[in-house]
Amino acid sequence: MIHRMLRYPADWEWHVLQLERPPLETTEELPKRKENRKKADPSKASMTFTAPPVTGDDFEEQLACKRILPECSGWLDECWGRQVNKVTVAHYANQDTIVSGTLMLQASEEMTDVQPFHFWLTAGKLVTLHTDLRLMIRLQDDSVTSRLKDCSSAPEAFFIMLGQLLGPFHAGLDGFEKRLGELEQAMRISNRTGLLDVIFERRYDLLHWSHLFIPIRELYGAAQEAFMDTLTETEVFKRTTYKLDRIDSLLKHYALEIDTLISMDDALSSFRGNDIMKTLTIFTVIFTPATVIGALWGTNFKPLPWDNHQLGFAGMCVVILFITILIYVWLWQKGWTGDLLTGRDSNKNKKNQTRIAMSEEQLTERSESIATEPDLSKLSRKRRSKTI
């Protein structure tokens, strides 16, 4: 275990606990619906992690942490090996309010690369526990260290760190937005049947990011409850508020877009099904006379009409063709053979609409001309007054 204690000019401390073991390996990503539908376990998701077995080295590291920070011994017992989000607020009469817990943070743009970040926070002390070196490297950036020196309290510094750790979250959302835009473009160009699976994959991705964002919102509210005006009036907290609102609006916008895509796919599928059923119905009605006449004329009864006649078969074919054409013409007059939006009826409606528009334009022109013409009665009155 590596322990570092940093003291800042405003008299608050940051204790960094880095465990000397590789980061925990995540489980496999959520399988695709089409390929592994039977193999996928619905109780597992891409956010689940495998807890490592407790060894003697872990126990020794835990004891070492308790010796260094005895006031955090209860928190260490709870968070050791935890792989889920948890945020707690504890109010004590004889000491400061404590905000502690675990955040599952995105370590990179890969959805399965989520690592635990344990924290213990009071007004004058911040303790962080993690196993991934990338988190500490990100917190040692020059832009972060220079701002930590100007912080007046540990909660203010913690929100600066939180904003820095949300960098991969923003990058992941940008990648998600790019994939969502490609999906919308593909759906607009050619609405294939396999796009529904892609839409649901994007929906699962959005659930992943939403699941990561919920505990951050919970921590935001817990910090407000614990430190109140001493934290909420700071510039760092206000910037974090704007950042979280921006992420929240993005997630809501993405959810609305995916719901719209699903609704559009359902509507297009229903229209396509209606067209298919309409086509099959038309074919069935058109070939019904040929089926009926062929069935009747092919029975084993003697004698049948035109059975022994030289032109019986040709005459029967002509009758079938005539009845088929007659039925098709009847369907065509009803407007049931073509598209309802661009068929004969729609053309008639367009002509009628153009006629109505032309008549309305003529009426408006006529009314304007009438309005501009002088009143004859007034002119006659003026002439009479002049003559008198």
Side-chain angles (χ1 to χ4, degrees):
M1 182 196 69
I2 301 173
H3 172 250
R4 294 179 60 190
M5 194 273 286
L6 304 175
R7 187 181 296 274
Y8 290 89
D11 199 18
W12 63 272
E13 300 176 355
W14 178 23
H15 294 262
V16 182
L17 301 178
Q18 174 71 44
L19 300 182
E20 295 180 343
R21 64 168 179 262
L24 305 177
E25 296 182 358
T26 60
T27 57
E28 295 182 356
E29 189 178 358
L30 188 68
K32 295 182 179 180
R33 297 171 62 252
K34 197 169 184 179
E35 297 177 356
N36 300 325
R37 189 172 297 173
K38 295 182 180 180
K39 298 180 181 179
D41 188 358
S43 63
K44 295 181 179 180
S46 61
M47 288 294 299
T48 57
F49 294 84
T50 304
V54 179
T55 61
D57 296 336
D58 294 337
F59 185 71
E60 292 179 359
E61 286 184 344
Q62 188 175 2
L63 288 178
C65 292
K66 289 181 179 180
R67 294 190 193 100
I68 297 171
L69 299 168
E71 65 274 15
C72 302
S73 58
W75 166 71
L76 290 170
D77 292 333
E78 292 179 359
C79 73
W80 203 269
R82 182 190 293 158
Q83 305 300 318
V84 294
N85 293 292
K86 186 177 181 180
V87 179
T88 59
V89 180
H91 301 278
Y92 297 99
N94 298 327
Q95 58 181 348
D96 296 335
T97 302
I98 299 174
V99 179
S100 61
T102 303
L103 284 180
M104 304 303 295
L105 297 176
Q106 194 79 24
S108 65
E109 296 182 9
E110 295 294 332
M111 289 180 54
T112 54
D113 190 8
V114 182
Q115 301 298 330
F117 181 74
H118 311 286
F119 61 91
W120 187 89
L121 179 65
T122 62
K125 183 179 290 187
L126 170 63
V127 183
T128 59
L129 173 65
H130 48 82
T131 58
D132 197 335
L133 288 174
R134 291 174 295 177
L135 300 178
M136 191 59 196
I137 293 173
R138 195 169 291 121
L139 294 178
Q140 289 178 346
D141 190 76
D142 294 336
S143 61
V144 179
T145 56
S146 60
R147 295 175 64 190
L148 291 179
K149 296 178 182 179
D150 298 332
C151 293
S152 59
S153 62
E156 184 179 354
F158 180 71
F159 272 86
I160 292 177
M161 300 176 189
L162 183 62
Q164 182 70 14
L165 294 175
L166 288 177
F169 194 95
H170 287 284
L173 284 180
D174 292 338
F176 174 79
E177 183 177 1
K178 180 181 178 182
R179 293 191 296 271
L180 185 60
E182 293 174 353
L183 174 61
E184 293 176 355
Q185 187 71 13
M187 189 171 183
R188 187 177 68 86
I189 295 175
S190 59
N191 184 28
R192 303 187 305 274
T193 55
L195 284 179
L196 184 60
D197 294 333
V198 182
I199 293 174
F200 276 103
E201 288 180 6
R202 299 288 83 80
R203 186 63 176 174
Y204 291 139
D205 295 345
L206 184 61
L207 288 175
H208 168 82
W209 295 112
S210 299
H211 188 70
L212 285 177
F213 184 69
I214 290 173
I216 297 174
R217 271 292 189 185
E218 183 183 1
L219 176 60
Y220 175 81
Q224 283 182 307
E225 176 189 351
F227 306 108
M228 301 182 68
D229 294 339
T230 58
L231 176 63
T232 56
E233 297 299 327
T234 60
E235 180 183 356
V236 174
F237 188 83
K238 294 178 180 179
R239 290 182 183 275
T240 306
T241 302
Y242 296 144
K243 181 178 292 186
L244 295 181
D245 291 341
R246 180 159 56 96
I247 295 175
D248 192 14
S249 62
L250 285 176
L251 292 176
K252 291 180 180 179
H253 179 70
Y254 295 153
L256 182 61
E257 284 190 4
I258 292 177
D259 292 339
T260 304
L261 290 177
I262 294 175
S263 301
M264 290 175 62
D265 189 82
D266 292 340
L268 291 173
S269 298
S270 62
F271 279 124
R272 187 182 292 112
N274 292 335
D275 290 339
I276 293 172
M277 292 302 298
K278 183 177 68 174
T279 304
L280 293 177
T281 303
I282 291 172
F283 272 98
T284 302
V285 172
I286 288 176
F287 289 102
T288 296
T291 304
V292 174
I293 294 175
L296 293 176
W297 204 49
T299 55
N300 294 324
F301 293 101
K302 298 292 183 177
L304 289 174
W306 302 345
D307 189 10
N308 297 323
H309 196 274
Q310 184 177 2
L311 300 176
F313 179 76
M316 189 61 64
C317 292
V318 171
V319 171
I320 293 173
L321 183 61
F322 175 75
I323 296 176
T324 302
I325 293 174
L326 185 64
I327 293 176
Y328 179 79
V329 171
W330 179 73
L331 293 174
W332 181 75
Q333 289 181 351
K334 291 289 185 178
W336 295 346
T337 57
D339 192 357
L340 296 178
L341 298 178
T342 59
R344 295 172 62 254
D345 294 337
S346 63
N347 293 330
K348 290 181 179 179
N349 292 331
K350 289 181 180 179
K351 292 180 180 179
N352 293 330
Q353 289 177 359
T354 53
R355 291 176 181 175
I356 293 171
M358 291 175 63
S359 61
E360 288 178 354
E361 289 179 357
Q362 291 176 357
L363 289 173
T364 54
E365 292 176 358
R366 188 174 180 181
S367 61
E368 290 176 357
S369 62
I370 292 173
T372 54
E373 289 179 356
D375 194 352
L376 296 177
S377 60
K378 292 181 179 179
L379 290 174
S380 61
R381 291 176 183 175
K382 289 181 179 179
R383 289 177 182 177
R384 291 177 183 176
S385 63
K386 288 181 179 179
T387 55
I388 293 172

mmCIF file with all atom_site columns, all heavy atoms in Angstrom, residues 365-380:
data_model
loop_
_atom_site.group_PDB
_atom_site.id
_atom_site.type_symbol
_atom_site.label_atom_id
_atom_site.label_alt_id
_atom_site.label_comp_id
_atom_site.label_asym_id
_atom_site.label_entity_id
_atom_site.label_seq_id
_atom_site.pdbx_PDB_ins_code
_atom_site.Cartn_x
_atom_site.Cartn_y
_atom_site.Cartn_z
_atom_site.occupancy
_atom_site.B_iso_or_equiv
_atom_site.pdbx_formal_charge
_atom_site.auth_seq_id
_atom_site.auth_comp_id
_atom_site.auth_asym_id
_atom_site.auth_atom_id
_atom_site.pdbx_PDB_model_num
ATOM 1   N N   . GLU A 1 365 ? -58.124 38.986 -54.999 1.00 0.00 ? 365 GLU A N   1
ATOM 2   C CA  . GLU A 1 365 ? -57.818 40.058 -55.938 1.00 0.00 ? 365 GLU A CA  1
ATOM 3   C C   . GLU A 1 365 ? -59.047 40.921 -56.207 1.00 0.00 ? 365 GLU A C   1
ATOM 4   O O   . GLU A 1 365 ? -58.953 42.152 -56.284 1.00 0.00 ? 365 GLU A O   1
ATOM 5   C CB  . GLU A 1 365 ? -57.290 39.476 -57.246 1.00 0.00 ? 365 GLU A CB  1
ATOM 6   C CG  . GLU A 1 365 ? -55.913 38.830 -57.104 1.00 0.00 ? 365 GLU A CG  1
ATOM 7   C CD  . GLU A 1 365 ? -55.472 38.186 -58.406 1.00 0.00 ? 365 GLU A CD  1
ATOM 8   O OE1 . GLU A 1 365 ? -56.276 38.216 -59.383 1.00 0.00 ? 365 GLU A OE1 1
ATOM 9   O OE2 . GLU A 1 365 ? -54.353 37.657 -58.455 1.00 0.00 ? 365 GLU A OE2 1
ATOM 10  N N   . ARG A 1 366 ? -60.161 40.275 -56.329 1.00 0.00 ? 366 ARG A N   1
ATOM 11  C CA  . ARG A 1 366 ? -61.389 41.029 -56.594 1.00 0.00 ? 366 ARG A CA  1
ATOM 12  C C   . ARG A 1 366 ? -61.747 41.908 -55.413 1.00 0.00 ? 366 ARG A C   1
ATOM 13  O O   . ARG A 1 366 ? -62.166 43.065 -55.583 1.00 0.00 ? 366 ARG A O   1
ATOM 14  C CB  . ARG A 1 366 ? -62.528 40.059 -56.893 1.00 0.00 ? 366 ARG A CB  1
ATOM 15  C CG  . ARG A 1 366 ? -63.795 40.726 -57.361 1.00 0.00 ? 366 ARG A CG  1
ATOM 16  C CD  . ARG A 1 366 ? -64.810 39.691 -57.770 1.00 0.00 ? 366 ARG A CD  1
ATOM 17  N NE  . ARG A 1 366 ? -66.035 40.318 -58.226 1.00 0.00 ? 366 ARG A NE  1
ATOM 18  C CZ  . ARG A 1 366 ? -67.104 39.637 -58.627 1.00 0.00 ? 366 ARG A CZ  1
ATOM 19  N NH1 . ARG A 1 366 ? -67.080 38.304 -58.613 1.00 0.00 ? 366 ARG A NH1 1
ATOM 20  N NH2 . ARG A 1 366 ? -68.192 40.273 -59.028 1.00 0.00 ? 366 ARG A NH2 1
ATOM 21  N N   . SER A 1 367 ? -61.595 41.364 -54.188 1.00 0.00 ? 367 SER A N   1
ATOM 22  C CA  . SER A 1 367 ? -61.911 42.174 -53.004 1.00 0.00 ? 367 SER A CA  1
ATOM 23  C C   . SER A 1 367 ? -60.968 43.357 -52.871 1.00 0.00 ? 367 SER A C   1
ATOM 24  O O   . SER A 1 367 ? -61.376 44.456 -52.486 1.00 0.00 ? 367 SER A O   1
ATOM 25  C CB  . SER A 1 367 ? -61.833 41.298 -51.755 1.00 0.00 ? 367 SER A CB  1
ATOM 26  O OG  . SER A 1 367 ? -60.536 40.786 -51.589 1.00 0.00 ? 367 SER A OG  1
ATOM 27  N N   . GLU A 1 368 ? -59.680 43.133 -53.212 1.00 0.00 ? 368 GLU A N   1
ATOM 28  C CA  . GLU A 1 368 ? -58.744 44.248 -53.156 1.00 0.00 ? 368 GLU A CA  1
ATOM 29  C C   . GLU A 1 368 ? -59.076 45.331 -54.178 1.00 0.00 ? 368 GLU A C   1
ATOM 30  O O   . GLU A 1 368 ? -58.996 46.527 -53.901 1.00 0.00 ? 368 GLU A O   1
ATOM 31  C CB  . GLU A 1 368 ? -57.325 43.736 -53.404 1.00 0.00 ? 368 GLU A CB  1
ATOM 32  C CG  . GLU A 1 368 ? -56.779 42.886 -52.250 1.00 0.00 ? 368 GLU A CG  1
ATOM 33  C CD  . GLU A 1 368 ? -55.415 42.331 -52.578 1.00 0.00 ? 368 GLU A CD  1
ATOM 34  O OE1 . GLU A 1 368 ? -54.946 42.564 -53.721 1.00 0.00 ? 368 GLU A OE1 1
ATOM 35  O OE2 . GLU A 1 368 ? -54.831 41.659 -51.708 1.00 0.00 ? 368 GLU A OE2 1
ATOM 36  N N   . SER A 1 369 ? -59.486 44.895 -55.374 1.00 0.00 ? 369 SER A N   1
ATOM 37  C CA  . SER A 1 369 ? -59.862 45.880 -56.396 1.00 0.00 ? 369 SER A CA  1
ATOM 38  C C   . SER A 1 369 ? -61.101 46.659 -55.992 1.00 0.00 ? 369 SER A C   1
ATOM 39  O O   . SER A 1 369 ? -61.206 47.862 -56.222 1.00 0.00 ? 369 SER A O   1
ATOM 40  C CB  . SER A 1 369 ? -60.097 45.166 -57.725 1.00 0.00 ? 369 SER A CB  1
ATOM 41  O OG  . SER A 1 369 ? -61.174 44.242 -57.605 1.00 0.00 ? 369 SER A OG  1
ATOM 42  N N   . ILE A 1 370 ? -62.037 45.949 -55.350 1.00 0.00 ? 370 ILE A N   1
ATOM 43  C CA  . ILE A 1 370 ? -63.246 46.635 -54.888 1.00 0.00 ? 370 ILE A CA  1
ATOM 44  C C   . ILE A 1 370 ? -62.910 47.639 -53.793 1.00 0.00 ? 370 ILE A C   1
ATOM 45  O O   . ILE A 1 370 ? -63.456 48.740 -53.722 1.00 0.00 ? 370 ILE A O   1
ATOM 46  C CB  . ILE A 1 370 ? -64.282 45.605 -54.396 1.00 0.00 ? 370 ILE A CB  1
ATOM 47  C CG1 . ILE A 1 370 ? -64.805 44.790 -55.580 1.00 0.00 ? 370 ILE A CG1 1
ATOM 48  C CG2 . ILE A 1 370 ? -65.425 46.288 -53.660 1.00 0.00 ? 370 ILE A CG2 1
ATOM 49  C CD1 . ILE A 1 370 ? -65.701 43.641 -55.173 1.00 0.00 ? 370 ILE A CD1 1
ATOM 50  N N   . ALA A 1 371 ? -61.969 47.235 -52.915 1.00 0.00 ? 371 ALA A N   1
ATOM 51  C CA  . ALA A 1 371 ? -61.593 48.135 -51.827 1.00 0.00 ? 371 ALA A CA  1
ATOM 52  C C   . ALA A 1 371 ? -60.902 49.387 -52.337 1.00 0.00 ? 371 ALA A C   1
ATOM 53  O O   . ALA A 1 371 ? -61.049 50.473 -51.771 1.00 0.00 ? 371 ALA A O   1
ATOM 54  C CB  . ALA A 1 371 ? -60.685 47.402 -50.831 1.00 0.00 ? 371 ALA A CB  1
ATOM 55  N N   . THR A 1 372 ? -60.151 49.268 -53.428 1.00 0.00 ? 372 THR A N   1
ATOM 56  C CA  . THR A 1 372 ? -59.429 50.425 -53.961 1.00 0.00 ? 372 THR A CA  1
ATOM 57  C C   . THR A 1 372 ? -60.311 51.317 -54.822 1.00 0.00 ? 372 THR A C   1
ATOM 58  O O   . THR A 1 372 ? -59.997 52.488 -55.026 1.00 0.00 ? 372 THR A O   1
ATOM 59  C CB  . THR A 1 372 ? -58.233 49.950 -54.792 1.00 0.00 ? 372 THR A CB  1
ATOM 60  O OG1 . THR A 1 372 ? -58.693 49.028 -55.804 1.00 0.00 ? 372 THR A OG1 1
ATOM 61  C CG2 . THR A 1 372 ? -57.217 49.228 -53.914 1.00 0.00 ? 372 THR A CG2 1
ATOM 62  N N   . GLU A 1 373 ? -61.407 50.787 -55.385 1.00 0.00 ? 373 GLU A N   1
ATOM 63  C CA  . GLU A 1 373 ? -62.288 51.606 -56.224 1.00 0.00 ? 373 GLU A CA  1
ATOM 64  C C   . GLU A 1 373 ? -63.002 52.659 -55.382 1.00 0.00 ? 373 GLU A C   1
ATOM 65  O O   . GLU A 1 373 ? -63.385 52.405 -54.242 1.00 0.00 ? 373 GLU A O   1
ATOM 66  C CB  . GLU A 1 373 ? -63.326 50.720 -56.918 1.00 0.00 ? 373 GLU A CB  1
ATOM 67  C CG  . GLU A 1 373 ? -62.714 49.847 -58.013 1.00 0.00 ? 373 GLU A CG  1
ATOM 68  C CD  . GLU A 1 373 ? -63.763 48.977 -58.649 1.00 0.00 ? 373 GLU A CD  1
ATOM 69  O OE1 . GLU A 1 373 ? -64.921 49.024 -58.180 1.00 0.00 ? 373 GLU A OE1 1
ATOM 70  O OE2 . GLU A 1 373 ? -63.430 48.248 -59.595 1.00 0.00 ? 373 GLU A OE2 1
ATOM 71  N N   . PRO A 1 374 ? -63.228 53.870 -55.909 1.00 0.00 ? 374 PRO A N   1
ATOM 72  C CA  . PRO A 1 374 ? -63.937 54.910 -55.140 1.00 0.00 ? 374 PRO A CA  1
ATOM 73  C C   . PRO A 1 374 ? -65.416 54.582 -55.015 1.00 0.00 ? 374 PRO A C   1
ATOM 74  O O   . PRO A 1 374 ? -65.995 53.887 -55.843 1.00 0.00 ? 374 PRO A O   1
ATOM 75  C CB  . PRO A 1 374 ? -63.702 56.170 -55.969 1.00 0.00 ? 374 PRO A CB  1
ATOM 76  C CG  . PRO A 1 374 ? -63.456 55.678 -57.352 1.00 0.00 ? 374 PRO A CG  1
ATOM 77  C CD  . PRO A 1 374 ? -62.750 54.363 -57.225 1.00 0.00 ? 374 PRO A CD  1
ATOM 78  N N   . ASP A 1 375 ? -66.003 55.078 -53.963 1.00 0.00 ? 375 ASP A N   1
ATOM 79  C CA  . ASP A 1 375 ? -67.421 54.853 -53.702 1.00 0.00 ? 375 ASP A CA  1
ATOM 80  C C   . ASP A 1 375 ? -68.242 55.775 -54.607 1.00 0.00 ? 375 ASP A C   1
ATOM 81  O O   . ASP A 1 375 ? -68.104 57.000 -54.577 1.00 0.00 ? 375 ASP A O   1
ATOM 82  C CB  . ASP A 1 375 ? -67.731 55.136 -52.236 1.00 0.00 ? 375 ASP A CB  1
ATOM 83  C CG  . ASP A 1 375 ? -69.089 54.591 -51.851 1.00 0.00 ? 375 ASP A CG  1
ATOM 84  O OD1 . ASP A 1 375 ? -69.812 54.142 -52.764 1.00 0.00 ? 375 ASP A OD1 1
ATOM 85  O OD2 . ASP A 1 375 ? -69.406 54.633 -50.649 1.00 0.00 ? 375 ASP A OD2 1
ATOM 86  N N   . LEU A 1 376 ? -69.117 55.134 -55.451 1.00 0.00 ? 376 LEU A N   1
ATOM 87  C CA  . LEU A 1 376 ? -69.930 55.893 -56.411 1.00 0.00 ? 376 LEU A CA  1
ATOM 88  C C   . LEU A 1 376 ? -70.956 56.762 -55.708 1.00 0.00 ? 376 LEU A C   1
ATOM 89  O O   . LEU A 1 376 ? -71.275 57.861 -56.161 1.00 0.00 ? 376 LEU A O   1
ATOM 90  C CB  . LEU A 1 376 ? -70.616 54.932 -57.388 1.00 0.00 ? 376 LEU A CB  1
ATOM 91  C CG  . LEU A 1 376 ? -69.661 54.126 -58.284 1.00 0.00 ? 376 LEU A CG  1
ATOM 92  C CD1 . LEU A 1 376 ? -70.471 53.173 -59.151 1.00 0.00 ? 376 LEU A CD1 1
ATOM 93  C CD2 . LEU A 1 376 ? -68.826 55.068 -59.155 1.00 0.00 ? 376 LEU A CD2 1
ATOM 94  N N   . SER A 1 377 ? -71.482 56.267 -54.612 1.00 0.00 ? 377 SER A N   1
ATOM 95  C CA  . SER A 1 377 ? -72.507 57.052 -53.908 1.00 0.00 ? 377 SER A CA  1
ATOM 96  C C   . SER A 1 377 ? -71.909 58.345 -53.355 1.00 0.00 ? 377 SER A C   1
ATOM 97  O O   . SER A 1 377 ? -72.525 59.407 -53.404 1.00 0.00 ? 377 SER A O   1
ATOM 98  C CB  . SER A 1 377 ? -73.108 56.223 -52.777 1.00 0.00 ? 377 SER A CB  1
ATOM 99  O OG  . SER A 1 377 ? -72.102 55.862 -51.864 1.00 0.00 ? 377 SER A OG  1
ATOM 100 N N   . LYS A 1 378 ? -70.666 58.246 -52.825 1.00 0.00 ? 378 LYS A N   1
ATOM 101 C CA  . LYS A 1 378 ? -70.016 59.442 -52.299 1.00 0.00 ? 378 LYS A CA  1
ATOM 102 C C   . LYS A 1 378 ? -69.737 60.444 -53.419 1.00 0.00 ? 378 LYS A C   1
ATOM 103 O O   . LYS A 1 378 ? -69.886 61.654 -53.252 1.00 0.00 ? 378 LYS A O   1
ATOM 104 C CB  . LYS A 1 378 ? -68.723 59.073 -51.596 1.00 0.00 ? 378 LYS A CB  1
ATOM 105 C CG  . LYS A 1 378 ? -68.946 58.276 -50.317 1.00 0.00 ? 378 LYS A CG  1
ATOM 106 C CD  . LYS A 1 378 ? -67.621 57.973 -49.650 1.00 0.00 ? 378 LYS A CD  1
ATOM 107 C CE  . LYS A 1 378 ? -67.844 57.189 -48.362 1.00 0.00 ? 378 LYS A CE  1
ATOM 108 N NZ  . LYS A 1 378 ? -66.582 56.854 -47.695 1.00 0.00 ? 378 LYS A NZ  1
ATOM 109 N N   . LEU A 1 379 ? -69.306 59.944 -54.582 1.00 0.00 ? 379 LEU A N   1
ATOM 110 C CA  . LEU A 1 379 ? -69.042 60.834 -55.704 1.00 0.00 ? 379 LEU A CA  1
ATOM 111 C C   . LEU A 1 379 ? -70.315 61.553 -56.147 1.00 0.00 ? 379 LEU A C   1
ATOM 112 O O   . LEU A 1 379 ? -70.303 62.749 -56.466 1.00 0.00 ? 379 LEU A O   1
ATOM 113 C CB  . LEU A 1 379 ? -68.447 60.047 -56.875 1.00 0.00 ? 379 LEU A CB  1
ATOM 114 C CG  . LEU A 1 379 ? -67.004 59.535 -56.672 1.00 0.00 ? 379 LEU A CG  1
ATOM 115 C CD1 . LEU A 1 379 ? -66.617 58.657 -57.858 1.00 0.00 ? 379 LEU A CD1 1
ATOM 116 C CD2 . LEU A 1 379 ? -66.050 60.713 -56.542 1.00 0.00 ? 379 LEU A CD2 1
ATOM 117 N N   . SER A 1 380 ? -71.410 60.811 -56.185 1.00 0.00 ? 380 SER A N   1
ATOM 118 C CA  . SER A 1 380 ? -72.671 61.436 -56.610 1.00 0.00 ? 380 SER A CA  1
ATOM 119 C C   . SER A 1 380 ? -73.099 62.507 -55.617 1.00 0.00 ? 380 SER A C   1
ATOM 120 O O   . SER A 1 380 ? -73.599 63.565 -56.008 1.00 0.00 ? 380 SER A O   1
ATOM 121 C CB  . SER A 1 380 ? -73.758 60.368 -56.754 1.00 0.00 ? 380 SER A CB  1
ATOM 122 O OG  . SER A 1 380 ? -73.971 59.737 -55.498 1.00 0.00 ? 380 SER A OG  1
#
